[in-house]
Amino acid sequence: MAKKEVMQGNEALAESALRAGCRFFAGYPITPQTEITEYLAAKMNDMPDRAFVQGESELASINMVYGASGSGARAMTATAGQGLALMAEGMSQLADAQVPAVIVDVQRGGPGNGGTAPSQGDYNFVTKSLGHGGFHAFVFGPSTVQETADMVYEAFDIADEYRCVVMIMTDGMLGHLIESVELKPYRDLKALPPRPWTEKGNPEGRKLQICGGQPDIELEKARRIEKIYEKWERELARVEHFMTDDAEVILAAWGTVARTAKTAIRKLRAEGHKIGLIRPITIYPFPVAAFAELDEKRVRHLITMENATPAQFHLDVKAALGGKPIPLSTYHRGMGSELSVEEIEEQLRGLL
Amino acid sequence: MEKVFGIPEGMNDKKTAFCPGCTHMTAYRLIVECLNELGERDNAILCRPIGCSLNADGSFDIHTIQSMHGRASAVATGVSRMNPTKTVMSYQGDGDAISIGVAETLYAANRGEKMTAIVINNQIYGMTGGQMSPTTLIGQRSTTGVRRADDTGYPLRFAEWLGQLEAPGYVARAALYTPKDIMQAKKFLLKALRCQKELGRYSYIEFLSFCPTNWGVQPKDCLKYCQENVLPVFPVGEFKSCF
Amino acid sequence: MEKSVLMGGFGGQGVQTCGKLLIYAANEEDKIATFYSQYGGAMRGGTSNCTVITSDEEIGAPNKKIVDYVVAFNIPSFKKFEERVAVGGTMIVNSTLISEDMYTRKDINYVGVPATQISQDLGSPKVLNVVILGFFCEYSGMVEPKVAQEVVLKQFAKKPQFIEMNTRAFETGVAEAKKAKKAKK
């Protein structure tokens, strides 16, 4: 009997969310995330204390999630492309009212209707501000089906702990990729961390008041949230170093581009080239130190690659490098298809 | 001496920022009174919108969730699905429920969510200062123009529309004009809440309300203005009732 | 060691299922494996393809262009994917539909299995992909044929009337592969 199950990225994500204690999901069909919505539609309404709603739009869906989470339930939605744009208003409200939610963006091409092929073009939108007014979500950028499942499982805890939005940014490639995955156990809904701020008769004896925008407490709230962002940046950024110990040429990439690049890097390593990969696992908080601490005496070139136009992730790497005298370049293209291992290899060969 | 009228339990005498002649607080009062009578006030969650209704902050004691403009019925859907034993309400203005949030309001109704949508219809955007709303009357002035049928269309009779749907259990319109109107409004609201609580069905209730400031009508003249202009377009009554 | 196969055919020939059964079998053997299919609309009548990779270490690109094996269920996929076989790799063709005179490369091996004919002889064109799966597993050794066969039968646990047909389809595929391997020697 195999130890693992074989699952598609989208389905593994959906199943793992259920196991993490997701009690409410509202979503609207859009390629390439639809399998998440379909999977949960088939399961959730038959499970006690859980509910699935197909919203009339992404606008409605995100607000249903807000209502469900604000009144006590772990809640999630998943979308892509223009659906995420429609959710911006609701995500901003989640941030203002400090209501936790897990939001999945299975990226497709853009801008506008774009195409349904994989993309990393939502990077700036998601990491810089998910909506008006300015705020951060905690953003995971998985690169395997296993990581997708693990991250969504953890996302609900992070969302509850910090009362924030946690984003899982996959793309059409990872969403449709099938791999073996080991799923974590179902969590007992009754044993989930308490949410005193949603409960009737909360400690201050006040009635539930889920809202933001109260001027008298806004400044205090802003300071508190700033401290949370500082803590994330200080303690919670995650990064993978792949064959970087002695690397003279380093590629920086995230998500599916990073995993694809590993094949090229292994091949070039086998030929004796000192080449490695830095892969941010959380894309906000961004693993600044991984770049700031690079040894400029050893590393003679740093290249970023991403499936986006204009380059977006590249700017974070550039900022993290902080003016260190390491030549930095970018290879990126959006729309069309995923970056192929062949083109990544060709780009890397140009630097050897 | 016997006390026959006072502030209901769950409300206070805190000053609100509503304009003179506004009937928002009448609506809030009816909500609190009805919840008290049903023994549901501590078990109720009100999804509030953005708009003038925020001026009631701190004057009533009900669980609330603040919603974005137009989304209260979607928020209420999430609350209701996760809290099926609660009395879940949305409180929305006409612009909120019938313009920017028309999809959310309509679909919550069509799904038959276990909730009560309470819509304050005063034919104008109040908080932003008197712009045209989906219920602004033909010929009525607003800061974004005078409503003309050939250009801005007709006032939307949303209650009549929802009354056609299969899922809702109770759909009604009442006025918050005269004491008699208000007694009827309370009767309708009680039915709406009971329809939700006892039968687990969707209710929609529209309250015709005064907005003297933005109409440019003196509070003392509002009643006559409404009887002559509003009621012919927005008749009060029950459009669907499960009782 | 990483091994890769690209399968292509008409939508409705069971290409996707064939690839999925292969990755299920690889998982049963606790191998690391990926299955990737360019999504879009692979409806009945359209073209459909998928790439399966197995390995004993982490797999990077699940969609690499050059693969060890290509399995062509039909002519269009043969024409489209022949160039994607690695030098020294193998092109497996459904020889009922694809004849030897269509082969254009000298640096790869070609092997045929009359899968459409076999499935028709067995009485159901639906088992075409199972014939090919049996053939591919035996010929490539990418997964143990026995393990793959169990996976196939598990799919029909709730439809026992199909078990015998699929067993025969799989076993015929395996037998054909044994013959082909012997002929190669």
Side-chain angles (χ1 to χ4, degrees):
Chain A
M1 191 57 193
K3 291 190 284 282
K4 297 179 177 183
E5 290 175 63
V6 175
M7 290 184 98
Q8 188 207 50
N10 278 342
E11 290 178 352
L13 186 150
E15 176 59 33
S16 192
L18 290 179
R19 289 168 183 244
C22 176
R23 286 181 56 202
F24 183 84
F25 181 95
Y28 186 86
I30 182 169
T31 306
Q33 75 77 33
T34 306
E35 293 83 1
I36 297 174
T37 301
E38 286 176 341
Y39 188 93
L40 294 171
K43 283 203 133 177
M44 276 183 110
N45 281 336
D46 295 331
M47 299 171 86
D49 298 322
R50 309 205 199 209
F52 166 90
V53 180
Q54 178 171 331
E56 59 273 22
S57 68
E58 285 89 351
L59 260 179
S61 301
I62 189 76
N63 282 286
M64 290 173 191
V65 164
Y66 170 59
S69 181
S71 59
R74 287 190 159 190
M76 180 174 92
T77 184
T79 187
Q82 51 273 54
L84 191 69
L86 284 173
M87 287 186 182
E89 175 200 83
M91 294 190 289
S92 193
Q93 176 64 14
L94 285 163
D96 188 26
Q98 296 177 75
V99 169
V102 174
I103 299 167
V104 181
D105 179 17
V106 186
Q107 294 170 95
R108 59 184 265 162
N113 269 325
T116 58
S119 160
Q120 295 184 321
D122 293 343
Y123 184 93
N124 272 356
F125 179 24
V126 171
T127 59
K128 302 300 174 270
S129 181
L130 268 169
H132 61 281
F135 62 96
H136 275 302
F138 193 99
V139 189
F140 279 116
S143 72
T144 66
V145 173
Q146 183 67 59
E147 236 180 17
T148 308
D150 290 347
M151 283 172 178
V152 78
Y153 198 85
E154 189 186 354
F156 285 94
D157 289 337
I158 294 174
D160 273 359
E161 183 176 350
Y162 298 101
R163 292 184 58 178
C164 66
V165 171
V166 180
M167 286 281 309
I168 314 285
M169 279 187 98
T170 70
D171 63 15
M173 179 176 172
L174 189 50
H176 288 102
L177 181 66
I178 298 177
E179 290 187 294
S180 301
V181 57
E182 202 169 345
L183 294 168
K184 293 194 164 68
Y186 270 90
R187 296 187 67 169
D188 179 358
L189 293 184
K190 291 187 182 70
L192 293 174
R195 294 173 152 204
W197 49 275
T198 66
E199 274 164 23
K200 199 156 94 92
N202 58 30
E204 293 92 41
R206 287 185 296 121
K207 279 279 194 304
L208 168 67
Q209 296 274 338
I210 299 290
C211 64
Q214 292 166 316
D216 52 334
I217 59 164
E218 278 300 276
L219 193 60
E220 183 270 326
K221 191 178 92 180
R223 286 190 183 121
R224 187 156 36 85
I225 288 173
E226 193 70 46
K227 289 228 157 36
I228 290 175
Y229 296 156
E230 283 166 13
K231 184 186 174 190
W232 287 357
E233 287 172 15
R234 208 171 48 240
E235 297 171 17
L236 300 185
R238 286 181 221 172
V239 64
E240 179 190 5
H241 290 270
F242 181 76
M243 300 187 174
T244 53
D245 281 352
D246 61 344
E248 292 166 6
V249 172
I250 290 179
L251 163 66
W254 69 282
T256 53
V257 174
R259 73 167 290 157
T260 303
K262 283 182 181 176
T263 299
I265 288 170
R266 278 213 183 87
K267 188 171 169 189
L268 295 169
R269 274 273 167 187
E271 293 173 13
H273 302 291
K274 289 186 173 169
I275 187 162
L277 167 77
I278 296 177
R279 178 178 73 93
I281 294 169
T282 55
I283 52 176
Y284 184 82
F286 193 79
V288 173
F291 299 96
E293 288 163 8
L294 282 176
D295 180 357
E296 65 260 44
K297 291 192 189 76
R298 192 192 77 232
V299 181
R300 60 182 174 78
H301 198 98
L302 178 63
I303 183 170
T304 63
M305 291 195 196
E306 59 190 307
N307 189 5
T309 297
Q312 303 178 22
F313 165 73
H314 176 72
L315 301 178
D316 272 349
V317 174
K318 190 175 177 182
L321 209 51
K324 210 174 249 272
I326 297 175
L328 174 68
S329 61
T330 164
Y331 176 73
H332 61 273
R333 60 165 176 79
M335 292 289 277
S337 62
E338 56 267 30
L339 262 58
S340 73
V341 63
E342 292 79 17
E343 70 181 304
I344 292 172
E345 185 188 325
E346 188 192 327
Q347 292 297 323
L348 291 175
R349 278 194 192 279
L351 301 172
L352 300 175
Chain B
M1 218 161 57
E2 190 195 357
K3 188 176 174 181
V4 294
F5 191 78
I7 298 165
E9 200 185 326
M11 290 193 96
N12 56 39
D13 57 359
K14 195 184 147 190
K15 276 210 169 62
T16 69
F18 289 113
C19 304
C22 175
T23 43
H24 261 295
M25 278 315 283
T26 312
Y28 273 111
R29 183 192 172 97
L30 290 185
I31 292 169
V32 172
E33 281 181 2
C34 289
L35 290 174
N36 283 346
E37 283 176 31
L38 296 170
E40 281 291 308
R41 189 163 53 80
D42 282 339
N43 192 44
I45 300 180
L46 182 73
C47 300
R48 292 191 307 164
I50 211 77
C52 282
S53 70
L54 292 185
N55 290 327
D57 261 9
S59 63
F60 63 95
D61 192 26
I62 305 174
H63 294 291
T64 59
I65 295 190
Q66 180 66 50
S67 314
M68 292 297 263
H69 190 35
R71 318 295 170 224
S73 285
V75 174
T77 297
V79 174
S80 177
R81 293 289 181 116
M82 286 295 101
N83 299 273
T85 61
K86 302 260 183 202
T87 292
V88 181
M89 297 162 289
S90 73
Y91 185 102
Q92 309 178 247
D94 48 81
D96 189 277
I98 310 176
S99 181
I100 193 169
V102 67
E104 285 80 357
T105 317
L106 176 65
Y107 276 81
N110 196 45
R111 285 189 302 266
E113 295 296 342
K114 192 179 170 188
M115 63 173 280
T116 299
I118 300 160
V119 174
I120 305 300
N121 176 357
N122 59 9
Q123 301 96 48
I124 201 97
Y125 283 89
M127 183 164 258
T128 45
Q131 295 76 28
M132 192 183 296
S133 92
T135 49
T136 297
L137 306 173
I138 299 285
Q140 187 183 339
R141 275 202 309 273
S142 78
T143 61
T144 48
V146 177
R147 174 156 243 151
R148 290 189 189 86
D150 59 355
D151 151 2
T152 41
Y154 295 84
L156 255 168
R157 286 191 270 253
F158 201 61
E160 283 85 339
W161 190 4
L162 291 196
Q164 311 290 316
L165 301 181
E166 300 290 331
Y170 188 78
V171 179
R173 181 185 294 120
L176 303 178
Y177 296 161
T178 66
K180 192 179 163 200
D181 291 335
I182 293 168
M183 297 291 278
Q184 186 191 41
K186 184 174 174 184
K187 204 175 85 187
F188 285 2
L189 180 59
L190 264 175
K191 279 193 189 178
L193 293 170
R194 279 181 52 221
C195 166
Q196 177 195 168
K197 184 72 194 162
E198 294 164 18
L199 305 170
R201 295 182 71 177
Y202 174 90
S203 300
Y204 175 93
I205 184 159
E206 202 172 296
F207 286 144
L208 297 173
S209 194
F210 291 153
C211 188
T213 302
N214 288 305
W215 291 347
V217 175
Q218 287 291 321
K220 68 180 169 50
D221 300 328
C222 279
L223 178 60
K224 187 163 177 283
Y225 167 83
C226 289
Q227 283 168 339
E228 286 172 4
N229 297 288
V230 179
L231 288 174
V233 179
F234 293 110
V236 298
E238 293 172 315
F239 300 98
K240 185 166 186 183
S241 177
C242 54
F243 294 106
Chain C
M1 254 304 269
E2 204 170 279
K3 281 190 178 181
S4 50
V5 57
L6 167 65
M7 299 180 172
F10 290 126
Q13 278 184 317
V15 174
Q16 303 287 321
T17 308
C18 189
K20 281 178 194 168
L21 291 169
L22 186 61
I23 188 175
Y24 293 152
N27 183 58
E28 289 297 318
E29 293 181 357
D30 291 329
K31 281 195 168 80
I32 292 164
T34 58
F35 168 102
Y36 188 58
S37 164
Q38 221 124 29
Y39 54 94
M43 308 301 278
R44 218 166 266 272
T47 58
S48 166
N49 70 80
C50 64
T51 302
V52 178
I53 302 176
T54 62
S55 180
D56 42 25
E57 61 179 4
E58 182 186 10
I59 296 169
N63 55 345
K64 55 185 189 180
K65 197 174 163 202
I66 304 303
V67 291
D68 302 320
Y69 296 90
V70 166
V71 181
F73 284 50
N74 67 354
I75 294 171
S77 348
F78 174 84
K79 288 186 171 162
K80 194 172 168 192
F81 299 132
E82 191 188 27
E83 61 172 30
R84 289 179 58 178
V85 181
V87 173
T90 303
M91 179 97 206
I92 296 171
V93 306
N94 177 0
S95 60
T96 313
L97 306 177
I98 301 156
S99 57
E100 287 181 22
D101 56 13
M102 296 169 86
Y103 300 169
T104 67
R105 288 178 61 177
K106 304 267 182 265
D107 55 355
I108 61 171
N109 309 305
Y110 292 89
V111 57
V113 51
T116 299
Q117 187 62 50
I118 293 170
S119 63
Q120 280 165 0
D121 292 348
L122 288 169
S124 168
K126 279 189 177 169
V127 297
L128 167 75
N129 59 350
V130 176
V131 175
I132 288 182
L133 182 68
F135 185 93
F136 177 75
C137 293
E138 175 63 33
Y139 193 86
S140 69
M142 204 156 148
V143 298
E144 274 295 319
K146 264 203 184 112
V147 178
Q149 189 169 354
E150 276 168 31
V151 166
V152 171
L153 299 185
K154 219 191 274 174
Q155 295 294 305
F156 296 102
K158 282 180 187 155
K159 295 175 188 164
Q161 69 272 29
F162 296 124
I163 285 182
E164 197 201 329
M165 169 89 75
N166 281 281
T167 303
R168 278 166 60 206
F170 192 90
E171 286 173 351
T172 311
V174 170
E176 285 290 321
K178 282 181 176 159
K179 266 199 278 179
K181 282 201 287 191
K182 224 179 241 174
K184 194 181 154 198
K185 277 174 194 162

